[in-house]
Amino acid sequence: MSLENQLYLQLKHGRVVIDLLPELAPNHIERIKQLSREGFYDNLIFHRVVEGFVAQTGDPTGTGFSGSGQFLDAEISSEAFVRGTVGMARSQNPHSGDSQFFICFDDAQFLNNQYTVWGKVSSGMEFVDNIERGEPPANPDKMIKVQELPTSNKIGRYQMTTLVIGGSGFVGLNLVEAGLRRSDRIIAFDKIPLPSEAERAFSSLPGELSSVQGDITNLDNVLRIIKDNNIERIFHGAAVTAGHKR
C-alpha cells in the first residue's frame, strides 16, 4: 500500500490508519482527501455507534442529518463489508453519500453491493473498538485530527526520510539512541502492525511516523516503498533496537 493512499484518524485512545481504495471508489477517495486537507473532519464526533455493527461519523452538526453539502454518485463494488471496512453513509437514495462514513466493528455483509466501500482499517482497529456506543452516545468520542500520511511531494519540511525495516516494537522508543533526527519522517515497514505504545512514544516528537505492513523479505516491496517515498536512509530494525546503524 502506497502511503499516498493512507489516512490517519487520531482518536483519544490512539491513531487509526485507513488504507484507501481508489481502485474501488476513485471519486470518493478524491473527496475524502479534499475534506481531510481542509480540516473538515477534525473534531467531528461519532454520532452513531452501534455495538457489533458500525461507528459512524462525518456530520459537522453531530446529528446524522447533515454533511459537507456535496453529494457523490455511488461507486458500488463487490468488496465485502467485514470488520474494519470503511463505507460511505447515505440516505435511501444510493447517490446521496456526502461526508458521513462508517467503520464496521464486525462482519456486515448484508450491506454488500448497496453501499460504497472506500477504505479498510489496517492499523488501530483496537482504538475503534473503544469508541463510546450510543445513538447518539452520551459522551461521544471524536476524530481529533484526520489527515493524509506524508507523501513524497510533502517532504520538504523534513530533514530526512528514513525507512526502518522490521523491529516495529522499537519504533518511538529507541529513536534517539539510533541517531534519528527528531525532525525526521519515519516509515516503519514490518510484517506486524506498529504497536500502540510505539506510536504514543513517538507522538511527543515533532516528526511524523507512519507504518506499512507487508512481507519484509520481498525485495520488490522494499524497493517500491523506497521509490514511492523518496527514502534517503535505511535502518534494519534489529540494529535500531540495539542502538546502532547497520
Side-chain angles (χ1 to χ4, degrees), residues 11-13 43-49 55-59 61-63 130-144:
L11 309 181
K12 70 178 181 182
H13 299 292
N43 294 308
L44 296 192
I45 67 168
F46 287 88
H47 62 270
R48 178 174 180 250
V49 187
Q56 187 167 327
T57 184
D59 179 353
T61 69
T63 64
N130 288 332
I131 295 173
E132 183 77 14
R133 269 53 168 181
E135 299 183 69
N139 297 293
D141 283 286
K142 64 181 179 180
M143 298 184 290
I144 299 170

Side-chain angles (χ1 to χ4, degrees), residues 101-240:
F101 64 89
F102 57 86
I103 303 173
C104 294
F105 287 121
D106 292 304
D107 188 286
Q109 295 199 46
F110 57 89
L111 300 177
N112 289 359
N113 303 307
Q114 301 179 65
Y115 291 80
T116 298
V117 174
W118 59 260
K120 174 76 174 178
V121 173
S122 60
S123 176
M125 192 62 199
E126 68 272 24
F127 304 131
V128 177
D129 290 334
N130 288 332
I131 295 173
E132 183 77 14
R133 269 53 168 181
E135 299 183 69
N139 297 293
D141 283 286
K142 64 181 179 180
M143 298 184 290
I144 299 170
K145 181 71 176 177
V146 178
Q147 61 183 339
E148 294 175 76
L149 291 173
T151 56
S152 58
N153 64 349
K154 300 178 183 178
I155 65 173
R157 66 183 184 275
Y158 303 102
Q159 293 185 23
M160 187 170 289
T161 301
T162 299
L163 175 66
V164 179
I165 303 174
S168 284
F170 88 89
V171 178
L173 303 177
N174 297 82
L175 288 175
V176 176
E177 289 82 349
L180 304 184
R181 299 173 184 168
R182 283 177 171 250
S183 58
D184 267 350
R185 172 183 177 228
I186 311 296
I187 299 173
F189 177 44
D190 206 345
K191 62 182 179 181
I192 61 174
L194 193 65
S196 57
E197 61 270 20
E199 293 190 354
R200 285 194 295 269
F202 193 84
S203 64
S204 62
L205 302 178
E208 293 205 42
L209 172 68
S210 57
S211 62
V212 177
Q213 192 174 345
D215 181 3
I216 64 176
T217 65
N218 186 316
L219 182 59
D220 288 339
N221 287 344
V222 177
L223 293 176
R224 184 174 62 253
I225 293 172
I226 292 172
K227 179 180 178 181
D228 289 347
N229 297 282
N230 287 359
I231 300 298
E232 301 161 90
R233 180 168 56 176
I234 300 175
F235 283 85
H236 189 281
V240 176

Side-chain angles (χ1 to χ4, degrees), residues 18-86:
I18 296 176
D19 289 347
L20 304 177
L21 303 173
E23 69 278 11
L24 300 183
N27 295 329
H28 282 70
I29 296 304
E30 182 180 354
R31 182 59 177 161
I32 293 294
K33 286 184 175 182
Q34 179 185 0
L35 292 173
S36 300
R37 292 167 189 155
E38 293 173 355
F40 176 87
Y41 286 119
D42 296 352
N43 294 308
L44 296 192
I45 67 168
F46 287 88
H47 62 270
R48 178 174 180 250
V49 187
V50 183
E51 179 65 40
F53 185 30
V54 298
Q56 187 167 327
T57 184
D59 179 353
T61 69
T63 64
F65 295 101
S66 186
S68 70
Q70 180 177 317
F71 292 147
L72 296 167
D73 288 341
E75 295 178 289
I76 304 300
S77 68
S78 60
E79 190 77 8
F81 282 87
V82 296
R83 175 171 166 80
T85 297
V86 185

